[in-house]
Amino acid sequence: MGSQVAECAASMEAMRTDARSNTYHNPMGISQILPALQQKSYLAVKSKECLNEDDTLVLEPIDPVVVLPSESTLTVMVEVVASSGAAVVYSVDAPKGSSLLEALELLKGKNVGFTFEKESSLWGPFLSAVNGEQARQSDRRYWHLSSDGTALSQGVNDFKIEVAQKITIKNTSY
Ligand code: B12
């Protein structure tokens, strides 16, 4: 914002290309990216006058994404690191293309001691408690998610399992 457009041309073009190829599917993410593509701040949306509004906005995905029963399953190792530093590793076979949330539900259903709770938010479900331990924002803590050592850039519902991997869920302070 306020920079010369040319300085951000590569980023703008990357966003446009991603937008056209439907990379953004989280409504919150889309709502944040759209003003930037118009070189407006998120705050500018507030003063926008919506002309020619045809009331066709559909908030639910038009074609619901259905995870079809997949022939192939992938082994996901799930490591939970509690605030004490104690780590437990579990294993679950999840259908290829399923969300991390679905993989965690499957693991919970195996009754091997893994449990979790989530809270709804505008970005989707937020992982709030694992194995009975809360990571409270009031204590400046959260359950940090990573895959093979790389922090996830999406939450549990948006992140899809495409390869076998180790997911680490770590009670972290910030
Ligand atoms: C601050 C912040 C956090 C803080 C929030 C705590 C706090 N007290 O401020 C903490 C550190 C907890 C956090 C965690 C995560 N975050 Co964050 N976070 C942000 C950030 C920078 C600002 C949010 C904010 O304050 N908004 C303003 C307030 C007024 O609005 P709000 O709706 O009330 O904000 C709440 C939500 O945003 C929620 N929240 C924050 N992050 C996330 C992520 C997910 C998946 C969900 C469901 C909710 C959520 O916490 C906020 C405070 O309650 C945004 C950036 C952005 N562009 O929005 C990223 C952002 C939302 N986070 C993101 C991610 C990926 C995560 C993590 C998954 C990271 C990880 N690898 O673990 C985790 C969530 C894991 C889990 N337990 O489910 C992404 C989401 C992208 C996507 N496509 O889904 C964003 C957009 C950053 C980015 N560009 O990558 N985050």
Side-chain angles (χ1 to χ4, degrees):
M1 301 312 302
S3 313
Q4 293 296 315
V5 173
E7 287 171 26
C8 319
S11 314
M12 294 287 292
E13 204 38 51
M15 277 199 282
R16 279 203 188 91
T17 308
D18 281 351
R20 285 193 194 106
S21 54
N22 290 328
T23 298
Y24 307 112
H25 48 91
N26 184 307
M28 222 11 214
I30 294 170
S31 80
Q32 290 193 359
I33 222 84
L34 279 178
L37 287 172
Q38 303 296 324
Q39 284 145 31
K40 295 273 189 306
S41 129
Y42 200 32
L43 300 174
V45 176
K46 192 170 176 258
S47 51
K48 269 264 168 257
E49 233 185 287
C50 296
L51 299 172
N52 304 325
E53 185 56 65
D54 59 4
D55 278 336
T56 53
L57 181 66
V58 181
L59 288 176
E60 293 301 316
I62 298 166
D63 297 316
V65 184
V66 180
V67 180
L68 294 168
S70 155
E71 298 272 308
S72 57
T73 56
L74 296 165
T75 302
V76 182
M77 308 297 286
V78 177
E79 179 185 41
V80 177
V81 184
S83 56
S84 65
V88 199
V89 182
Y90 306 91
S91 168
V92 64
D93 291 331
K96 188 175 187 293
S98 58
S99 66
L100 175 56
L101 179 61
E102 287 162 326
L104 296 181
E105 303 271 14
L106 285 172
L107 179 56
K108 191 176 175 179
K110 283 175 73 181
N111 293 322
V112 286
F114 174 83
T115 61
F116 72 96
E117 285 163 41
K118 53 187 169 49
E119 283 168 16
S120 304
S121 84
L122 291 172
W123 280 99
F126 183 86
L127 198 61
S128 54
V130 178
N131 290 352
E133 187 176 85
Q134 291 265 356
R136 287 192 189 85
Q137 296 188 22
S138 52
D139 299 332
R140 299 181 65 86
R141 300 196 74 88
Y142 74 112
W143 287 103
H144 177 265
L145 308 168
S146 56
S147 164
D148 293 332
T150 303
L152 297 195
S153 61
Q154 292 176 310
V156 283
N157 196 38
D158 288 336
F159 184 78
K160 302 291 183 291
I161 307 288
E162 299 293 353
V163 291
Q165 60 200 281
K166 180 168 139 186
I167 296 287
T168 301
I169 306 175
K170 187 175 181 196
N171 191 325
T172 308
S173 68
Y174 60 87

